[in-house]
């Protein structure tokens, strides 16, 4: 039974499918769109379709991009001898924000998780290996999430890559900068202790 | 550690119950089904964030209510006051844990903070039952005393689930690439090895405590033993080569595993052998020996946790006094009461009368009726 109009209900239904949006918020958004000027709604609709039409995966690093190869892969100033492997495109954004890494990326598109039906063939691993046949790579940095799935993927990749003769590293796990030691949870603190380095 | 005050709302059959506890022995008595064990359950929430009986929180909430609240005021051995609150909402199946009003992110963070030793009738399975019952006992002790062990255990279960999924898929012919199993071997071995090594170390230390407790209770020269029996052959003393043995065992079993569809070796298939005079307790011990061994294990657990957590554990005895005889109870309660606190349920008001005077001094008795405390009596301290 509709309390409003069918098209409002339909729009709300669509919003409700988005992550983090409940039924109430979906209705509020739908009613807000109704109040927006027509041009703005058109711009929004266009933007939505554009994302689908224009954005694709970079043929080299599998990151999302509008131009292929992506802006990072085609940037001549970047060091081509090191590759940072991450799970998702937003991980690239996170690392880019540091301005510390000057090399290239490779986006796997997830991590190994049989429970979700994700095996090695579902990740961009073949594409990663392909990259080594074309250019010389000195170092591969594995920057995957510190959970069970990310860990398994890290171990799997290091096993695949080490025989190829390059340096394979993984990012450190430990304490967040600027925090207090006393507020760190025990798991993080244990990892930090295990990964201690000489000063 | 002393539990000073308990407040429970909509908890099992307790609508609203609030009382101060004695720092010595607390006896909850009353007829069956009146709500005695429920109070022990609430204490287990403060210590373990869950009930030692119920499988899910939703069962614990009062039938016609949509959640429960349990609040406990505890004082640690060094005198620090804590207020632990567990708030459960059945509608959204959410449990919020706060310590001194600040939220605890993960339930596992609270485990080990306030250690507890629980003895209920089900625990008889430790000496009678399957390897799983003994693993549960050891995991229970180690999880409370080592945060790293608990984290490893949680992680190991996740890895195992993923790996078993692949094996099940291979068995049913749905998969694809058999090498996919090997991807998970390394994680399984790494996490599994640290669990196994901790269990090795634990059995060695625990053994001494069990022998001491057993001889105190039985007063004879019988020698109890707890032996670690991993799911694959590996040397008991040496920790360095566990990883290699684990790896080899996985390789040997790989074909069988693909046939039956789950992981055959690892900490989840371990056993702990309990012996009395070199004879396996499960098959050869008498009823009395079983009981003595069980109480000895619990006493050992008490002292192990006390040492490892730097905190005197609470002792919860759920309806076991009639099962164990007075001599065993005396020893168990005495060891706990000299520095800690004991919570007992029984249908018999006079359940403690047979115990020695120094044990039953400082007893507070609560009559529980239809989810309420009807009467509190204080037993005068006998000097």
């Amino acid at each position: 039974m509709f309390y409003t109009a069918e098209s409002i209900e339909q729009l709300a239904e669509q919003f409700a499918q988005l992550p983090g949006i409940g039924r109430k918020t979906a209705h509020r958004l739908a009613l807000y769109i109704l109040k927006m000027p027509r041009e703005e709604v058109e711009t929004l609709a266009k933007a939505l379709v554009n994302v689908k039409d224009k954005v694709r995966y970079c043929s080299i690093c599998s990151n999302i991009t509008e131009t292929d190869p992506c802006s990072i892969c085609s940037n001549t100033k970047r060091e081509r001898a090191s590759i940072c492997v991450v799970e998702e495109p937003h991980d690239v954004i996170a690392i880019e924000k540091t301005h510390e890494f000057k090399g290239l990326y490779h986006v796997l598109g997830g991590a190994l998780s049989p429970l979700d039906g994700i095996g090695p063939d579902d990740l961009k691993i073949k594409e990663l290996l392909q990259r080594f046949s074309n250019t010389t790579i000195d170092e591969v940095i594995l920057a995957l999430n510190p959970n069970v799935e990310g860990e398994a993927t890290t171990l799997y990749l290091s096993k695949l890559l080490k025989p190829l003769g390059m340096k394979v590293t993984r990012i450190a796990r430990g304490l967040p900068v600027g925090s207090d030691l006393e507020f760190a949870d025990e798991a993080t603190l244990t990892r930090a202790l295990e990964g201690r380095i000489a000063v | 550690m002393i539990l000073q005050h308990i407040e429970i709302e909509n908890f099992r059959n307790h609508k609203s119950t609030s009382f101060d506890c004695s720092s010595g022995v607390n006896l909850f008595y009353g007829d069956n089904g009146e709500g005695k064990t429920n109070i022990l359950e609430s204490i287990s929430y403060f210590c373990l964030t869950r009930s030692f009986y119920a499988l899910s929180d939703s069962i614990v909430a009062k039938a016609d209510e949509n959640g429960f609240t349990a609040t406990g005021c505890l004082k640690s051995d060094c005198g620090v006051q804590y207020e632990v609150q567990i708030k459960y909402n059945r509608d959204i199946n959410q449990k919020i844990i706060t310590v001194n009003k600040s939220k605890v992110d993960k339930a596992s963070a609270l485990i080990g903070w306030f250690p507890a030793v629980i003895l209920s009738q089900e625990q008889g399975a430790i000496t009678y039952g399957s390897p799983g019952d003994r693993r549960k006992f050891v995991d229970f002790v180690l999880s409370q005393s080592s945060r790293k062990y608990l984290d490893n255990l949680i992680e190991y279960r996740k890895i195992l689930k993923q790996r078993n999924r692949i094996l099940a898929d291979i068995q049913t012919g749905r998969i694809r690439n058999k090498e996919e199993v090997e991807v998970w071997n390394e994680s399984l071995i790494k996490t599994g090895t640290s669990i196994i090594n901790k269990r090795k170390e634990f059995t060695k230390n625990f053994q001494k405590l069990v022998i001491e407790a057993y001889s105190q209770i039985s007063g004879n020269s019988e020698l109890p033993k707890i032996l670690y029996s991993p799911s694959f052959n590996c040397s008991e003393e040496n920790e360095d080569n566990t990883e290699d043995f684990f790896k080899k065992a996985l390789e040997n079993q790989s074909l069988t595993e693909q046939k039956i569809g789950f992981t055959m070796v690892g900490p989840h298939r371990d056993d702990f052998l309990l012996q009395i005079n070199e004879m396996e307790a499960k098959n050869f011990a008498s009823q009395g020996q079983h009981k003595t061994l069980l109480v000895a294990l619990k006493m050992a657990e008490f002292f192990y946790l006390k040492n490892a957590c730097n905190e005197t554990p609470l002792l919860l005895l759920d309806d076991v006094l009639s099962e164990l005889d007075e001599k065993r109870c005396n020893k168990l309660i005495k060891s706990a009461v000299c520095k800690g606190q004991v919570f007992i349920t029984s249908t018999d008001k006079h359940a403690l009368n047979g115990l020695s005077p120094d044990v039953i001094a400082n007893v507070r008795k609560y009559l529980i009726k239809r989810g309420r405390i009807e009467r509190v009596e204080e037993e005068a301290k006998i000097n």
Side-chain angles (χ1 to χ4, degrees), chain A residues 9 12 41 44 49 52 69-70 98 112-113 122 135-136 142 164 179 184 188:
Chain A
E9 291 295 328
V41 176
L44 176 68
V49 178
K52 243 3 231 178
C70 73
T98 66
L112 296 172
S113 176
D122 302 301
T135 46
T136 41
L142 302 172
L164 301 178
S179 68
T188 309

Side-chain angles (χ1 to χ4, degrees), chain B residues 181-319:
Chain B
V181 186
E182 281 165 32
V183 173
W184 292 89
N185 282 6
E186 208 141 326
S187 305
L188 191 82
I189 292 169
K190 214 177 117 207
T191 319
T193 302
S194 71
I195 293 176
I196 292 169
N197 284 341
K198 184 76 193 174
R199 284 180 179 174
K200 275 185 191 172
E201 179 202 317
F202 166 78
T203 345
K204 239 185 288 165
N205 296 333
F206 199 65
Q207 163 88 327
K208 292 172 208 145
L209 295 171
V210 177
I211 294 176
E212 204 183 304
Y214 193 96
S215 77
Q216 264 186 41
I217 302 163
S218 75
N220 61 28
S221 56
E222 286 175 340
L223 186 68
K225 239 183 200 167
I226 176 166
L227 293 169
Y228 181 35
S229 158
S231 58
F232 54 87
N233 280 328
C234 67
S235 96
E236 215 169 291
E237 296 299 315
N238 198 344
E239 290 190 355
D240 303 332
N241 53 14
T242 311
E243 210 168 319
D244 300 330
F245 279 109
F246 198 170
K247 205 179 221 164
K248 225 168 273 165
L250 275 177
E251 277 165 20
N252 290 341
Q253 294 288 346
S254 77
L255 282 179
T256 328
E257 284 188 336
Q258 288 169 18
K259 217 176 280 166
I260 59 168
F262 61 84
T263 306
M264 294 276 293
V265 288
H268 65 292
R269 307 268 292 179
D270 285 353
D271 194 2
F272 296 86
L273 302 178
L274 295 170
Q275 294 179 341
I276 296 171
N277 285 345
E278 312 277 318
M279 302 279 267
E280 204 182 333
K282 192 181 163 188
N283 299 324
F284 298 103
S286 70
Q287 298 293 325
Q289 283 174 322
H290 269 293
K291 286 177 193 168
T292 307
L293 185 58
L294 180 64
V295 174
L297 286 170
K298 285 288 148 181
M299 267 173 76
E301 180 183 355
F302 183 87
F303 289 111
Y304 184 89
L305 286 178
K306 187 171 186 234
N307 191 21
C309 306
N310 269 327
E311 191 76 56
T312 314
L314 300 178
L315 180 64
L316 313 183
L317 304 177
D318 186 25
D319 203 15

Side-chain angles (χ1 to χ4, degrees), chain B residues 56-105:
Chain B
S56 86
D57 299 320
S58 65
I59 309 172
V60 176
K62 201 165 186 288
D64 44 354
E65 302 286 341
N66 57 5
F68 66 79
T69 314
T71 316
C73 298
L74 299 116
K75 192 169 145 198
S76 76
D77 283 0
C78 55
V80 184
Q81 293 274 0
Y82 293 99
E83 189 196 277
V84 183
Q85 188 174 63
I86 317 280
K87 239 187 181 143
Y88 174 75
N89 185 330
R90 181 152 44 193
D91 289 343
I92 45 174
N93 194 22
Q94 188 193 45
K95 187 158 61 175
I96 296 172
I97 303 165
T98 54
V99 176
N100 289 345
K101 307 260 188 273
S102 76
K103 207 175 144 195
V104 176
D105 292 334

Side-chain angles (χ1 to χ4, degrees), chain A residues 69-81 102-104:
Chain A
C70 73
S71 56
I72 296 177
C73 288
S74 53
N75 187 343
T76 50
K77 283 183 191 152
R78 299 201 71 118
E79 293 160 13
R80 321 227 123 231
K102 302 276 185 274
L104 303 176

Side-chain angles (χ1 to χ4, degrees), chain A residues 23-81:
Chain A
R23 214 144 276 278
K24 258 186 192 162
T25 316
H27 264 105
R28 215 168 64 211
L29 288 176
L31 289 169
Y32 181 80
I33 298 241
L34 184 68
K35 281 187 191 158
M36 277 163 67
R38 193 187 157 79
E39 308 83 69
E40 277 181 37
V41 176
E42 269 173 7
T43 320
L44 176 68
K46 221 167 160 188
L48 287 174
V49 178
N50 270 350
V51 163
K52 243 3 231 178
D53 285 350
K54 290 194 180 161
V55 176
R56 46 204 159 132
Y57 293 103
C58 170
S59 59
I60 300 173
C61 70
S62 306
N63 194 5
I64 43 174
T65 176
E66 279 193 25
T67 54
D68 189 18
C70 73
S71 56
I72 296 177
C73 288
S74 53
N75 187 343
T76 50
K77 283 183 191 152
R78 299 201 71 118
E79 293 160 13
R80 321 227 123 231

